[in-house]
């Protein structure tokens, strides 16, 4: 039976997400119909309709991103269009003659991003329940929903919040893996990694904390874990699910090779007009999203995460954050939203650091000048 604190935490996260979601829904149609938006998922889904020509082309013929978010947007457009046909709506009837993306399709793409943003905030809360007391975990989820980048990408159509959602699912299951060595959990992790990678190729980085966690935290001898069937079956599921969603990577491999090669060249050589290097872009992004105080508490939270009693659950999160940041620094192209998948880990470190600082301040036996200095900063 849940205790009073857990009920209060559930109420906090539900009410907090409800309020922030209502505010976002109030402004989700900003700028429509005249605003230009890149809206890659919506645009690629719209082009699958093959307007003006017979048939439907499920091949996005666009491989800069994987296709999961394209198909989700196409499905939303198909449902809306079918309802419009049944009801005799003039709006959907006019879609065939619209040269550009219909405003309704763009709005649906934004709502999809917003929904994934809400789900990602809940995912951060679930991870926090493994690392922190319930109320602190709830505040972590609420804080995720009001950070700058999650708010920004909740109001546009992009691949980043679906990616973040599946990352939170994978990290949660990887964090509890050491004491639940069951095949179904390994397979579930494989599915989450595949879905993350099917949103954006960088989601495949989740394989790093999965393998490192298995090697370092498994109850069996370290290298014997690799001789177990579970991780190999999880890897097979990852590949199967990824290519089931993206079959045209194989069926249209020449186009994929050309476009993916261009994207790799673009990330390696840099983006036109970009001036600031990664060493400037990402620290600024952290400060803008966490604020100076929480960014400092993130540093405070690192030592307890590495040495505390929950270090087994923290390890996969820290490994993921480190691996992802290293990958970002390998790219010459740097934008603040590339850091979005790492922000929940940094936020959880911040909340942990803040909590420990408050404990040191409130208990006379633990008060030190350093504790006061950190808390005041």
């Amino acid at each position: 039976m849940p205790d009073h604190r857990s009920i209060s935490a559930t109420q906090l996260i539900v009410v907090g997400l409800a309020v922030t979601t209502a505010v976002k829904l109030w402004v989700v149609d900003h700028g429509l119909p005249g605003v230009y938006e890149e809206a890659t998922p919506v645009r690629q889904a719209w082009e699958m309709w093959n307007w003006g020509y017979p048939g439907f082309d499920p091949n996005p013929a666009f491989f800069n991103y994987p296709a999961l978010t394209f198909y989700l947007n196409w499905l939303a457009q198909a449902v809306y269009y079918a309802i419009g046909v049944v009801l005799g709506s003039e709006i959907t009837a006019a879609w065939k003659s619209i040269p550009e993306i219909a405003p309704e399709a763009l709005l649906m793409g934004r709502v999809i991003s917003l929904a994934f943003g809400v789900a990602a905030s809940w995912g951060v809360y679930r991870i926090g329940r493994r690392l922190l007391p319930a109320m602190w975990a709830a505040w972590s989820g609420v804080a995720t929903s009001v950070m700058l980048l999650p708010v920004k990408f909740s109001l546009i159509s992009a691949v980043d919040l679906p990616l973040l959602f599946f990352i939170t699912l994978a990290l949660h299951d990887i964090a509890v893996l050491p004491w639940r060595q069951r095949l179904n959990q390994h397979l579930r992790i494989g599915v989450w990694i595949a879905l993350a990678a099917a949103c954006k190729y960088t989601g495949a980085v989740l394989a790093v904390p999965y393998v490192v966690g298995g090697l370092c935290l498994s109850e069996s001898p370290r290298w014997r874990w690799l001789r177990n069937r579970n991780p190999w079956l999880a890897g097979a599921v990852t590949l199967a699910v990824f290519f089931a969603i993206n079959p045209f990577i194989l069926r249209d491999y020449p186009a994929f090779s050309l476009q993916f090669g261009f994207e790799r060249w673009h990330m390696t050589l840099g983006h036109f007009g970009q001036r600031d290097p990664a060493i400037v872009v990402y620290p600024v992004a952290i400060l803008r999203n966490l604020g100076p105080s929480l960014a400092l508490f993130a540093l405070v939270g690192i030592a307890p995460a590495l040495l505390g009693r929950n270090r087994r659950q923290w390890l996969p999160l820290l490994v993921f954050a480190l691996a992802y940041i290293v990958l970002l620094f390998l790219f010459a192209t740097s934008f603040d939203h590339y850091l979005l998948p790492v922000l929940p880990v940094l936020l959880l470190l911040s909340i942990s650091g803040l909590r420990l600082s408050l404990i040191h301040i409130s208990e006379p036996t633990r008060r030190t000048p350093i504790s006061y200095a950190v808390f005041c900063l």
Side-chain angles (χ1 to χ4, degrees):
M1 179 178 296
D3 59 16
H4 178 73
R5 290 176 63 85
S6 64
I7 294 175
S8 298
T10 302
Q11 291 173 344
L12 172 61
I13 187 66
V14 170
V15 172
L17 293 184
V19 171
T20 57
T21 302
V23 173
K24 294 171 186 175
L25 284 172
W26 184 262
V27 298
V28 74
D29 63 343
H30 64 91
L32 295 178
V35 68
Y36 170 78
E37 186 175 320
E38 185 175 6
T40 299
V42 177
R43 189 173 302 278
Q44 298 307 316
W46 185 260
E47 292 178 358
M48 288 181 191
W49 286 97
N50 212 20
W51 297 115
Y53 301 91
F56 157 70
D57 187 5
N59 182 1
F62 179 87
F63 300 104
N64 295 49
Y65 294 114
L68 177 57
T69 55
F70 307 166
Y71 293 131
L72 290 176
N73 275 269
W74 182 88
L75 181 61
Q77 294 169 16
V79 171
Y80 185 84
Y81 184 80
I83 294 174
V85 170
V86 171
L87 299 180
S89 171
E90 296 182 358
I91 295 177
T92 51
W95 277 18
K96 295 181 180 180
S97 60
I98 297 177
E100 290 295 328
I101 301 173
E104 299 83 17
L106 189 57
L107 181 60
M108 284 185 287
R110 292 180 178 181
V111 172
I112 289 172
S113 287
L114 194 156
F116 274 108
V118 175
S121 298
W122 184 268
V124 173
Y125 163 67
R126 290 180 69 234
I127 296 173
R129 288 296 301 264
R130 299 289 178 181
L131 306 169
L132 301 164
M135 287 299 294
W136 290 93
W139 281 115
S140 300
V142 174
T144 301
S145 69
V146 297
M147 281 197 296
L148 178 63
L149 282 175
V151 170
K152 175 182 176 181
F153 282 87
S154 292
L155 302 178
I156 61 175
S157 174
V159 303
D160 299 270
L161 287 179
L163 168 67
L164 180 62
F165 169 63
F166 292 118
I167 284 175
T168 62
L169 293 181
L171 288 179
H172 174 271
D173 283 357
I174 295 172
V176 302
L177 186 63
W179 62 79
R180 289 186 183 177
Q181 291 284 354
R182 299 174 183 171
L183 175 60
N184 63 341
Q185 186 176 11
H186 286 268
L187 298 182
R188 190 166 61 244
I189 291 171
V191 171
W192 300 147
I193 295 176
L195 293 175
C199 294
K200 199 171 184 178
Y201 296 114
T202 53
V205 174
L206 284 166
V208 177
Y210 173 57
V211 173
V212 172
L215 291 175
C216 296
L217 303 178
S218 175
E219 296 177 359
S220 60
R222 183 163 299 179
W223 295 107
R224 186 179 298 176
W225 183 80
L226 289 177
R227 296 199 295 268
N228 190 298
R229 64 170 185 161
N230 291 351
W232 296 103
L233 289 174
V237 167
T238 298
L239 293 176
V241 173
F242 177 81
F243 285 110
I245 298 171
N246 298 276
F248 294 99
I249 288 179
L250 300 177
R251 295 180 61 182
D252 195 6
Y253 184 77
F256 165 76
S257 179
L258 177 65
Q259 294 185 29
F260 187 78
F262 173 79
E263 187 68 11
R264 185 171 54 186
W265 172 84
H266 166 243
M267 297 300 295
T268 302
L269 297 183
H271 187 79
F272 176 75
Q274 184 191 9
R275 297 180 181 274
D276 295 329
I279 194 65
V280 174
V281 172
Y282 298 130
V284 170
I286 293 172
L287 290 174
R288 292 181 67 189
N289 282 273
L290 296 182
S293 298
L294 283 181
L296 178 62
F297 282 121
L299 297 176
V300 176
I302 290 176
L306 291 173
L307 304 175
R309 62 181 181 180
N310 288 332
R311 60 185 180 274
R312 294 172 65 90
Q313 288 73 53
W314 275 108
L315 179 63
L317 276 70
L318 298 178
V319 169
F320 169 76
L322 179 61
Y324 207 93
I325 291 173
V326 168
L327 177 66
L328 294 182
F329 272 86
L330 294 177
F331 298 150
T333 302
S334 305
F335 292 104
D336 57 355
H337 66 273
Y338 291 173
L339 194 67
L340 182 57
V342 179
L343 288 179
V345 178
L346 300 181
L347 176 64
L348 289 168
L349 284 172
S350 301
I351 298 297
S352 176
L354 173 60
R355 173 176 169 268
L356 291 174
S357 298
L358 289 173
I359 290 175
H360 277 264
I361 292 296
S362 61
E363 297 183 11
T365 57
R366 297 188 177 185
R367 292 176 186 171
T368 64
I370 296 178
S371 300
Y372 282 112
V374 170
F375 186 77
C376 290
L377 286 173

